[in-house]
Amino acid sequence: MSRTEQTQTAVLGALSVMPMTGYALREEIRSVLGHFWSESFGQIYPALAELQRQGLVERRGADRARASVFALTPAGTERLRELLSEPAQPVRPRNGLMLRLFFGRQLGPEACRILIREAREEAEARLAELAVSRSESQEGPHAQDRPYWLLTISAGEHAARAAIAWADGALEALETLSDSAAPHPAAEPPVGSKTVHPVREHP
Amino acid sequence: MSRTEQTQTAVLGALSVMPMTGYALREEIRSVLGHFWSESFGQIYPALAELQRQGLVERRGADRARASVFALTPAGTERLRELLSEPAQPVRPRNGLMLRLFFGRQLGPEACRILIREAREEAEARLAELAVSRSESQEGPHAQDRPYWLLTISAGEHAARAAIAWADGALEALETLSDSAAPHPAAEPPVGSKTVHPVREHP
DNA sequence: GAGATTCTATATCTATTAGATATAAGCAGC
DNA sequence: GCTGCTTATATCTAATAGATATAGAATCTC
């Protein structure tokens, strides 16, 4: 499944819940799917144009001043099912916190502890947001969808709680490190000296 | 911190461990940082060129036939510290499994269960790989780095275990769903009927 | 109630990026 | 010694993120 198809899936899926404008699509995706998905205008508008060309989506009321509302066609519903059945594209990880911690010796234990504390707070905040989503999902006319939505909320909660547990352990581990090894992190590795390492020839 | 700077951080960081060629950089990033970071050639080569231009990296032995080895300069080490201190770029989530589950009603409980079982297996596999990384980190001359490397490994393990626990709960929840609500998921919502919903005007 | 000002909705545009593809060198088998 | 395969290296292109431009609507001020 190509990237454009991933975007098409998200757009068709959102339109399957309710017809809306391109702008509303972005808002809806951000607020409802925000914990595990994101799309930008630069993806949404071309995707809508292509979906319309393929007759999967229908554009209504393109007045000059008023934005046009897009709605699924029957073929679009069909196509959504098809896309959902295809295997997902693997995610390319890019975790800035982990990158910093991996080279954490350059930063010193104290700076690392600050980063981890921040990450812990973010996880707590996510947990709170998810609790709101959970109660919000009670309302609304989408009773049939709710069990599935709860699955995604639960996944977010598990991940957030794991992040918090990890952070607590990590903070503790770093504490013993700053006590023992390097009381003055900034002064630790002399900068100018010995930056040239032996070269490994094509491993 | 811009995206290019993120790439520069990863490249400088990897070169701080050991000088190497562009190709080896990609391999190293993939094998060692693979659980939380990824870079492609299209990012690495331009980044190396720019870093060389700035005098942060030095190119050695650009024979016609032999690839050139890149090494950090003292200024490069300095710059790495600087970059690591900057706040990380926020990640844009794009979780294909969650997208599928969110619109899971279109797919039916059974198909969802299969997806979740696959995810569970992947998490188990990651856990096994991390166990290997953990024991590998014992060896090698990088004793000072090890505590930080273990932090990242531990984060991966927490996340993987959380994924497994979530999957088990989700599978159970879906089981009760397929028993009760929709024994024949494919036949559930009649395709052609009632695909036109009431339009919400600019919420 | 008219004008000014801010805000929101919408769309486009550009620099970045992923990853497929091209090229070339070494190596193994025949 | 030649041929085909594998690994190393680099480039190129289509897709993407998200910043920015534009215009209309709403609100505030006088």
Side-chain angles (χ1 to χ4, degrees), chain B residues 77-91:
Chain B
T77 308
E78 196 95 24
R79 176 72 175 141
L80 173 58
R81 298 240 171 85
E82 199 180 302
L83 285 171
L84 287 173
S85 311
E86 285 186 24
Q89 190 174 266
V91 290

Side-chain angles (χ1 to χ4, degrees), chain B residues 3 21 23 41-42 45 67 92 94:
Chain B
R3 295 219 225 180
T21 68
Y23 186 88
F41 288 134
Y45 287 111
R92 331 204 77 238
R94 232 154 190 256

Side-chain angles (χ1 to χ4, degrees), chain A residues 2-4 7 38-43 64-66 202-203:
Chain A
S2 73
R3 294 219 227 179
T4 37
T7 298
S38 81
E39 297 286 357
S40 66
F41 288 134
Q43 294 160 269
R64 313 131 275 301
R66 210 69 295 236
H202 311 293

Side-chain angles (χ1 to χ4, degrees), chain A residues 125-141:
Chain A
R126 242 179 309 143
L127 217 44
E129 280 172 35
L130 286 166
V132 174
S133 302
R134 190 176 269 280
S135 63
E136 274 176 358
S137 78
Q138 304 275 21
E139 310 149 17

Side-chain angles (χ1 to χ4, degrees), chain A residues 39-80:
Chain A
E39 297 286 357
S40 66
F41 288 134
Q43 294 160 269
I44 287 175
Y45 287 110
L48 281 172
E50 174 62 17
L51 289 171
Q52 187 186 13
R53 202 189 60 73
Q54 291 178 20
L56 304 176
V57 137
E58 127 192 314
R59 178 183 210 133
R60 298 188 195 149
D63 315 350
R64 313 131 275 301
R66 210 69 295 236
S68 27
V69 171
F70 294 86
L72 275 199
T73 65
T77 308
E78 196 93 26
R79 177 71 174 141
L80 173 59

Side-chain angles (χ1 to χ4, degrees), chain B residues 7-8 16 42 48 52 56 70 74-75 83 102 104 110 141 176 180 182 189:
Chain B
T7 298
Q8 290 186 1
S16 83
L48 281 171
Q52 186 185 14
L56 304 176
F70 293 87
L83 285 171
F102 192 86
E110 269 321 308
T176 65
S180 62

